[in-house]
Amino acid sequence: MIVRILGEGQWTVTDEQLPTLNTLDAAVEAAVEAEDQSSFSNTLSALLDAVRTGGEPLPDESLEDSDLILPPSDATLEEVRELLNDDGLIPG
């Protein structure tokens, strides 16, 4: 799966990483629903760090379609709320 973090680039993540990413995604979603800014900032940062550290970065010149698009690290709670669907940021 190819994941884009807006404003940063793309990473390839394996299926084995998805449970961890889904757990962090659920925490982001819960923080948004609770309007808990502190928890939101921490969990979004953890989710993005998990992609950066666990994924394999694609070259900047790569033109691969992204399977999943995550907000930038400086996204606001309201911006992320608009991106959420029934499955959170990460389907599954």
Side-chain angles (χ1 to χ4, degrees):
M1 170 181 277
I2 297 175
V3 178
R4 173 177 294 281
I5 299 175
L6 292 174
E8 292 187 34
Q10 293 177 298
W11 286 260
T12 300
V13 298
T14 65
D15 289 345
E16 290 74 27
Q17 295 170 293
L18 290 178
T20 298
L21 298 178
N22 277 322
T23 298
L24 292 167
D25 179 45
V28 171
E29 187 175 7
V32 169
E33 288 176 9
E35 297 189 17
D36 182 341
Q37 182 65 48
S38 177
S39 179
F40 165 74
S41 297
N42 291 335
T43 55
L44 179 60
S45 178
L47 175 61
L48 299 180
D49 285 345
V51 171
R52 292 182 197 115
T53 60
E56 183 71 31
L58 293 178
D60 289 341
E61 64 275 9
S62 175
L63 298 175
E64 302 289 330
D65 288 335
S66 299
D67 299 301
L68 177 65
I69 299 174
L70 295 176
S73 59
D74 63 350
T76 67
L77 196 143
E78 288 303 320
E79 290 169 333
V80 171
R81 183 189 319 273
E82 293 176 12
L83 295 174
L84 289 172
N85 58 42
D86 291 340
D87 287 333
L89 295 169
I90 300 173

